[in-house]
């Protein structure tokens, strides 16, 4: 049996560390949501400036990152955008969900979203604004703490209390206005959403809106994603009920089961 030389092992470990650091850079930029100078990036990641500069230069040469000519800030490049388009084209659920979201927004006049979990955060994968005069603060790629959302309660349906507590950070339970969500009440709401087959939350992130979400089930019977509508909080019960039935039908249409 051939032994692996120390030099080979060391090279492999350095490559693995480089890959991990690249993923940290990409994840940070995604969460940060805007360009940042390399020095500030290294500080935010608690990483050596020299290796951060090297990795950023490599990613820039590959077209994965771009540098602003105005202030030297770095952000995602065109190649990342093209990779994302490929995902939308080739992923069956994402492709169908985009069309369903667009159809719902057009037919109902309400803001519609397709959402999934990503790195322990509720993530908007696609959205289409409604035609109301006010605009909901929502954007593709936006990541929000799970307890702030109706979709989050559905996406955790079927998870154990231990799994939920390990996933939810303490700060995720604090709403934008400073109110704190009780963890027991949150877990009860997850169970209720599972039993009801939908979830409606009012005034969590914004006092004037409510969110209505329906589950999208994967082949294993678990909630894989959600489709939701962001509505005015004072919408009539009859109108809300009608929209709920439309939304549930969309969820069934998109589900694998």
């Amino acid at each position: 049996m051939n032994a692996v030389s120390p030099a080979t092992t060391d090279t492999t470990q350095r490559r693995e560390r480089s890959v991990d650091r690249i993923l940290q850079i990409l994840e940070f930029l995604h969460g940060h949501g805007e360009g940042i100078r390399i020095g500030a990036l290294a500080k935010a990641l608690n990483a050596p400036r020299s290796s951060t500069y090297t990795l950023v230069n490599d990613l820039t040469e590959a077209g994965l990152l771009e540098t602003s000519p105005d202030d030297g800030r770095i952000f995602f490049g065109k190649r990342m955008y093209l990779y994302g388009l490929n995902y939308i084209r080739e992923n069956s659920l994402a492709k169908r969900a985009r069309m369903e979201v667009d159809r719902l927004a057009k037919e109902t006049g309400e803001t519609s979203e397709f959402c999934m979990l990503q790195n322990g955060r509720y993530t908007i994968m696609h959205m289409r604004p409604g035609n109301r005069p006010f605009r909901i603060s929502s954007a593709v790629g936006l990541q929000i703490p799970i307890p702030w959302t109706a979709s989050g309660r559905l996406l955790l349906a079927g998870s154990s209390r231990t799994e939920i507590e390990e996933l939810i950070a303490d700060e995720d339970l604090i709403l934008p206005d400073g109110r704190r969500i009780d963890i027991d009440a949150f877990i009860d709401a997850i169970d209720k959403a599972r039993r009801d087959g939908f979830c409606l939350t009012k005034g969590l992130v914004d006092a004037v809106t409510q969110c209505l979400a329906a589950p999208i089930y994967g082949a294993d019977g678990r909630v894989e994603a959600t489709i939701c509508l962001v509505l005015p909080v004072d919408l009539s019960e009859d109108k809300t009920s009608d929209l709920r039935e439309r939304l549930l039908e969309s969820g069934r249409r998109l589900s694998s089961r």
Side-chain angles (χ1 to χ4, degrees):
M1 180 177 180
N2 295 328
V4 178
S5 70
T8 300
T9 300
D10 186 57
T11 299
T12 300
Q13 290 176 343
R14 284 201 304 271
R15 286 175 178 170
E16 289 175 349
R17 286 195 297 270
S18 293
V19 170
D20 289 342
R21 185 68 71 190
I22 287 171
L23 293 176
Q24 287 178 353
I25 290 172
L26 298 179
E27 190 61 35
F28 176 84
L29 290 175
H30 176 62
H32 192 59
E34 60 184 9
I36 186 172
R37 291 185 175 87
I38 300 178
L41 174 65
K43 184 177 180 180
L45 296 177
N46 193 27
R49 290 172 65 96
S50 59
S51 61
T52 302
Y53 272 93
T54 298
L55 290 174
V56 167
N57 286 335
D58 290 344
L59 292 171
T60 301
E61 289 179 5
L64 298 175
L65 298 181
E66 291 182 1
T67 303
S68 169
D70 298 325
D71 55 16
R73 294 174 182 267
I74 60 164
F75 202 59
F76 294 122
K78 292 185 287 294
R79 183 166 289 184
M80 294 290 285
Y81 174 72
L82 295 174
Y83 289 163
L85 290 179
N86 286 335
Y87 174 80
I88 294 297
R89 283 195 296 264
E90 296 301 321
N91 182 277
S92 174
L93 176 57
K95 183 163 50 178
R96 291 184 293 114
R98 282 173 61 90
M99 292 188 291
E100 193 68 22
V101 163
D102 292 347
R103 184 189 66 80
L104 266 179
K106 181 178 179 180
E107 292 184 0
T108 67
E110 307 292 354
T111 295
S112 180
E113 299 174 349
F114 166 59
C115 306
M116 303 180 82
L117 288 184
Q118 174 69 23
N119 294 333
R121 285 289 188 271
Y122 156 95
T123 304
I124 300 174
M125 304 296 290
H126 181 64
M127 66 84 63
R128 181 67 60 185
N131 57 18
R132 292 184 179 275
F134 69 89
R135 281 289 177 262
I136 305 298
S137 178
S138 177
V140 174
L142 186 65
Q143 294 188 316
I144 301 172
I146 296 171
W148 297 11
T149 68
S151 288
R153 287 155 174 76
L154 285 168
L155 289 165
L156 293 185
S159 299
S160 68
R161 183 185 183 97
T162 299
E163 291 172 330
I164 294 169
E165 291 180 337
E166 288 178 350
L167 182 63
I168 304 300
D170 187 65
E171 59 267 23
D172 291 346
L173 296 168
I174 302 175
L175 293 167
D177 62 3
R179 288 177 295 155
R180 185 180 182 85
I181 298 174
D182 179 75
I183 186 64
D184 291 326
F186 176 59
I187 291 174
D188 287 344
I190 293 171
D191 189 54
K192 183 177 188 302
R194 179 188 59 80
R195 295 194 310 270
D196 292 345
F198 71 92
C199 187
L200 176 68
T201 57
K202 297 185 178 183
L204 289 182
V205 176
D206 189 326
V208 300
T209 62
Q210 59 181 331
C211 186
L212 181 62
I216 299 171
Y217 295 98
D220 60 358
R222 294 177 66 91
V223 179
E224 180 179 0
T226 63
I227 186 166
C228 64
L229 293 171
V230 185
L231 310 167
V233 74
D234 58 356
L235 201 65
S236 71
E237 290 188 10
D238 287 345
K239 180 63 174 177
T240 302
S241 178
D242 175 65
L243 290 173
R244 184 182 67 236
E245 294 307 311
R246 286 172 176 254
L247 199 62
L248 288 170
E249 176 56 33
S250 292
R252 287 190 289 269
R253 191 178 293 120
L254 292 170
S255 294
S256 297
R257 72 178 189 180

